[in-house]
């Protein structure tokens, strides 16, 4: 299996601009997760998909954030009207091999992340 | 709500020695899972070891083992025969009641030659 990939690896933008990140999970993984990690902290959960369905969203995910997984494969995370406080590493993870509902907790495998800097 | 606490921001160990990283957690779930992840300077998070809470036996993976004390809600990681490649941030995480992982703030491990 190839691992989880994320693009771009780095993004520098000006405050107020929109940015979009992409995550390609491990093939056949049906669950995909987004986390945010700020300097000196552990990752914080943002949202989670099972196949195409977005099943859980954190309160951290404000109205400026939107995530999609239209075909149940790759996912995009968009941040509108970026703020300096959005500067962080955005991590994607995937898990699971069954197409059915999860019955056990599968290990989440992480991608290398996208580092966002908002000037 | 789940919480994970790592009380050691930094630890150091001599190469070939043993080091233990501490983690405590709190959860109201009866069924949950615990993890240690390693994040080297390149920053890709790698699973080190996982423990199912219903299992009494402590998990081991080669040089890595855990001391899972369920009543005390403690989940420490022991690294034996430390190697230079073990230098990284180590994160303890829990998962229960939902798919999300809840992470601690991490412990930076330095391995001295």
């Amino acid at each position: 299996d190839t691992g989880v990939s994320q693009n771009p690896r780095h993004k520098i933008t000006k405050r107020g601009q929109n940015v979009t990140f992409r995550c390609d999970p491990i093939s056949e993984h049906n669950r995909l997760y987004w986390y945010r990690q700020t300097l000196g902290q552990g990752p914080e959960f943002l949202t989670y998909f099972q196949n195409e369905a977005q099943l859980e969203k954190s309160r951290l995910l404000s109205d400026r954030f939107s995530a999609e997984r239209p075909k149940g494969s790759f996912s995009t995370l968009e941040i509108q009207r970026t703020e300096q406080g959005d500067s962080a590493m955005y991590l994607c993870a995937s898990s699971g091999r069954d197409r059915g509902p999860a019955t056990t907790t599968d290990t989440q495998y992480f991608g290398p992340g996208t580092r966002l800097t908002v000037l | 709500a789940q919480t994970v606490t790592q009380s050691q921001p930094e630890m150091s160990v001599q190469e070939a020695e043993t080091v233990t990283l501490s983690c405590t957690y709190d959860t109201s779930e009866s069924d949950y899972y615990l993890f240690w992840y390693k994040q080297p300077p390149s920053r890709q998070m790698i699973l080190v070891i996982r423990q199912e809470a219903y299992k009494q036996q402590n998990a081991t993976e080669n040089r890595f083992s855990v001391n899972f004390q369920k009543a005390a809600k403690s989940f420490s990681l022991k690294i034996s025969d430390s190697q230079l490649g073990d230098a990284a941030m180590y994160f303890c995480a829990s998962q229960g009641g939902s798919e999300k992982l809840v992470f601690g703030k991490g412990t930076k491990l330095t391995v001295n030659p």
Side-chain angles (χ1 to χ4, degrees):
Chain A
D1 281 336
T2 57
V4 177
S5 62
Q6 294 186 245
N7 288 287
R9 295 292 307 276
H10 303 273
K11 179 70 177 179
I12 299 174
T13 191
K14 293 182 178 179
R15 188 176 55 186
Q17 297 295 305
N18 299 343
V19 295
T20 301
F21 311 140
R22 176 176 170 130
C23 171
D24 288 88
I26 293 172
S27 59
E28 299 181 359
H29 274 186
N30 64 338
R31 295 190 285 281
L32 187 148
Y33 313 79
W34 285 99
Y35 292 85
R36 181 174 69 185
Q37 185 177 23
T38 54
L39 206 58
Q41 302 293 318
E44 296 174 291
F45 172 79
L46 292 178
T47 190
Y48 143 64
F49 291 85
Q50 180 160 309
N51 302 319
E52 302 86 0
Q54 188 173 17
L55 297 186
E56 189 173 351
K57 291 171 62 174
S58 164
R59 282 173 289 181
L60 291 174
L61 215 65
S62 75
D63 291 344
R64 297 185 297 105
F65 287 71
S66 62
E68 294 183 342
R69 196 183 182 198
K71 297 182 179 180
S73 57
F74 72 92
S75 175
T76 58
L77 177 68
E78 181 183 16
I79 309 175
Q80 295 182 328
R81 305 181 303 282
T82 52
E83 302 173 356
Q84 288 185 326
D86 297 331
S87 295
M89 178 75 84
Y90 289 83
L91 299 172
C92 177
S94 69
S95 73
R97 294 188 183 274
D98 297 327
R99 295 298 291 181
T103 57
T104 61
T105 296
D106 294 308
T107 296
Q108 294 182 28
Y109 294 90
F110 283 80
T114 295
R115 175 166 293 287
L116 173 65
T117 301
V118 181
L119 302 176
Chain B
Q2 297 180 71
T3 60
V4 176
T5 303
Q6 293 180 250
S7 59
Q8 304 156 317
E10 296 187 27
M11 291 282 286
S12 64
V13 63
Q14 291 296 125
E15 198 174 2
E17 297 295 309
T18 296
V19 65
T20 298
L21 308 184
S22 301
C23 172
T24 58
Y25 63 93
D26 194 15
T27 180
S28 58
E29 301 293 331
S30 57
D31 187 18
Y32 57 92
Y33 302 80
L34 298 166
F35 304 83
W36 279 97
Y37 278 88
K38 169 185 176 181
Q39 193 175 40
S42 66
R43 300 187 70 86
Q44 183 149 7
M45 199 86 68
I46 303 166
L47 177 71
V48 175
I49 200 165
R50 61 175 277 164
Q51 174 84 41
E52 289 81 0
Y54 63 83
K55 291 185 177 179
Q56 293 185 340
Q57 187 172 8
N58 289 327
T60 63
E61 286 288 341
N62 300 315
R63 298 182 295 107
F64 298 88
S65 61
V66 299
N67 183 4
F68 175 43
Q69 300 289 326
K70 192 171 185 178
K73 295 184 177 178
S74 171
F75 183 62
S76 61
L77 174 69
K78 185 171 82 170
I79 306 174
S80 304
D81 185 25
S82 297
Q83 300 176 0
L84 295 177
D86 295 334
M89 286 292 292
Y90 285 81
F91 292 96
C92 179
S94 70
Q95 184 176 19
S98 81
E99 287 290 319
K100 70 179 182 183
L101 289 169
V102 175
F103 287 87
K105 290 187 176 183
T107 297
K108 181 180 180 180
L109 178 66
T110 301
V111 181
N112 300 311

